[in-house]
Coordinates of all heavy atoms in Angstrom, one line a residue:
I1244 N -27.7 8.3 -5.8 CA -27.7 7.5 -7.1 C -27.3 6.1 -6.8 O -27.9 5.1 -7.2 CB -26.9 8.2 -8.2 CG1 -27.5 9.5 -8.5 CG2 -26.9 7.3 -9.4 CD1 -26.7 10.3 -9.5
N1247 N -29.9 4.3 -5.1 CA -31.3 4.5 -5.6 C -32.2 4.9 -4.5 O -33.2 4.3 -4.2 CB -31.8 3.2 -6.2 CG -33.1 3.4 -7.0 OD1 -33.4 4.5 -7.5 ND2 -33.9 2.4 -7.0
M1259 N -34.9 7.6 -6.9 CA -33.8 8.4 -7.5 C -33.6 8.0 -8.9 O -33.2 8.8 -9.8 CB -32.5 8.2 -6.7 CG -31.4 9.0 -7.1 SD -31.7 10.8 -6.9 CE -30.2 11.5 -7.5
R1260 N -33.8 6.7 -9.2 CA -33.6 6.2 -10.6 C -34.4 7.1 -11.6 O -34.0 7.3 -12.7 CB -34.1 4.8 -10.7 CG -33.8 4.1 -12.0 CD -34.3 2.6 -11.9 NE -33.7 1.9 -10.8 CZ -32.4 1.3 -10.9 NH1 -31.7 1.5 -12.0 NH2 -32.0 0.6 -9.9
D1261 N -35.6 7.5 -11.2 CA -36.5 8.3 -12.0 C -36.1 9.8 -12.2 O -36.6 10.5 -13.0 CB -37.9 8.2 -11.5 CG -38.4 6.8 -11.4 OD1 -38.6 6.2 -12.5 OD2 -38.6 6.3 -10.3
Q1262 N -35.1 10.2 -11.4 CA -34.6 11.6 -11.4 C -33.3 11.8 -12.2 O -32.8 12.9 -12.3 CB -34.4 12.1 -10.0 CG -35.4 11.7 -9.0 CD -36.9 11.9 -9.3 OE1 -37.2 12.9 -10.0 NE2 -37.8 11.0 -8.9
V1263 N -32.7 10.7 -12.7 CA -31.4 10.7 -13.3 C -31.6 10.5 -14.8 O -32.1 9.5 -15.3 CB -30.5 9.6 -12.8 CG1 -29.1 9.7 -13.4 CG2 -30.4 9.8 -11.2
L1264 N -31.1 11.5 -15.6 CA -31.2 11.4 -17.1 C -29.8 10.9 -17.6 O -29.8 10.1 -18.6 CB -31.4 12.8 -17.7 CG -32.8 13.3 -17.4 CD1 -32.9 14.7 -18.1 CD2 -33.9 12.4 -18.0
G1265 N -28.7 11.2 -17.0 CA -27.4 10.8 -17.4 C -26.4 10.8 -16.3 O -26.7 11.4 -15.2
L1266 N -25.4 10.0 -16.4 CA -24.3 10.1 -15.4 C -23.0 9.7 -16.0 O -22.9 9.2 -17.1 CB -24.7 9.1 -14.2 CG -24.9 7.6 -14.4 CD1 -23.6 6.9 -14.6 CD2 -25.6 7.1 -13.2
A1278 N -21.9 9.0 -19.8 CA -23.2 8.9 -20.4 C -24.1 10.0 -19.9 O -25.1 9.8 -19.4 CB -23.9 7.6 -20.2
Y1289 N -28.1 0.3 -25.2 CA -28.4 0.1 -23.8 C -28.3 1.4 -22.9 O -27.5 2.3 -23.2 CB -27.3 -0.9 -23.2 CG -27.2 -2.2 -23.9 CD1 -26.0 -2.8 -24.1 CD2 -28.3 -2.8 -24.4 CE1 -25.9 -4.1 -24.7 CE2 -28.3 -4.1 -25.0 CZ -27.0 -4.7 -25.2 OH -27.0 -5.9 -25.8
D1290 N -29.2 1.4 -21.9 CA -29.2 2.6 -21.0 C -28.2 2.3 -19.9 O -28.5 1.8 -18.9 CB -30.6 2.8 -20.5 CG -30.7 4.1 -19.7 OD1 -29.7 4.8 -19.6 OD2 -31.8 4.4 -19.2
L1291 N -26.9 2.6 -20.2 CA -25.8 2.2 -19.3 C -25.9 2.8 -17.9 O -25.4 2.2 -16.9 CB -24.5 2.6 -19.9 CG -24.1 1.8 -21.2 CD1 -22.8 2.3 -21.8 CD2 -24.2 0.3 -21.0
K1292 N -26.6 4.0 -17.8 CA -26.6 4.6 -16.4 C -27.3 3.6 -15.4 O -27.0 3.6 -14.2 CB -27.3 5.9 -16.4 CG -28.8 5.9 -16.7 CD -29.4 7.3 -16.6 CE -30.9 7.2 -16.9 NZ -31.3 6.9 -18.3
Q1293 N -28.3 2.8 -15.9 CA -29.0 2.0 -15.0 C -28.1 0.9 -14.4 O -28.5 0.4 -13.3 CB -30.2 1.3 -15.8 CG -31.2 2.2 -16.4 CD -31.9 3.1 -15.4 OE1 -31.9 2.8 -14.2 NE2 -32.6 4.1 -15.8
L1294 N -27.0 0.6 -15.0 CA -26.1 -0.4 -14.4 C -25.5 0.2 -13.0 O -25.3 -0.6 -12.1 CB -24.9 -0.7 -15.3 CG -25.2 -1.5 -16.5 CD1 -23.9 -1.6 -17.4 CD2 -25.7 -2.9 -16.2
F1295 N -25.3 1.5 -13.0 CA -24.7 2.1 -11.8 C -25.7 2.5 -10.7 O -25.3 2.6 -9.6 CB -23.8 3.2 -12.2 CG -22.7 2.8 -13.3 CD1 -22.9 3.1 -14.6 CD2 -21.6 2.1 -12.9 CE1 -22.0 2.7 -15.6 CE2 -20.7 1.7 -13.8 CZ -20.9 2.0 -15.2
I1296 N -26.9 2.9 -11.2 CA -27.9 3.3 -10.2 C -28.3 2.2 -9.3 O -28.8 1.1 -9.8 CB -29.1 3.9 -10.9 CG1 -28.7 5.1 -11.8 CG2 -30.2 4.4 -9.9 CD1 -29.8 5.7 -12.6
G1297 N -28.1 2.3 -8.0 CA -28.5 1.2 -7.1 C -27.4 0.1 -6.9 O -27.6 -0.8 -6.2
S1298 N -26.3 0.3 -7.6 CA -25.2 -0.8 -7.5 C -24.3 -0.6 -6.3 O -23.4 -1.4 -6.1 CB -24.4 -0.8 -8.8 OG -23.6 0.4 -8.9
L1302 N -19.9 -1.5 -9.0 CA -19.6 -1.6 -10.5 C -18.9 -0.4 -11.0 O -18.2 -0.5 -12.1 CB -21.0 -1.8 -11.2 CG -21.8 -3.0 -10.9 CD1 -23.1 -3.0 -11.8 CD2 -21.1 -4.3 -11.1
L1545 N -22.3 -9.4 -14.2 CA -22.0 -8.0 -14.4 C -20.8 -7.5 -13.5 O -19.9 -6.8 -14.0 CB -23.2 -7.1 -14.0 CG -24.4 -7.2 -14.9 CD1 -25.6 -6.5 -14.3 CD2 -24.1 -6.5 -16.2

Side-chain angles (χ1 to χ4, degrees):
I1244 297 173
N1247 189 29
M1259 184 67 179
R1260 187 180 302 280
D1261 301 292
Q1262 322 307 326
V1263 181
L1264 294 177
L1266 60 74
Y1289 302 145
D1290 190 358
L1291 295 180
K1292 70 176 182 290
Q1293 300 296 349
L1294 289 176
F1295 303 102
I1296 301 174
S1298 68
L1302 300 181
L1545 288 171

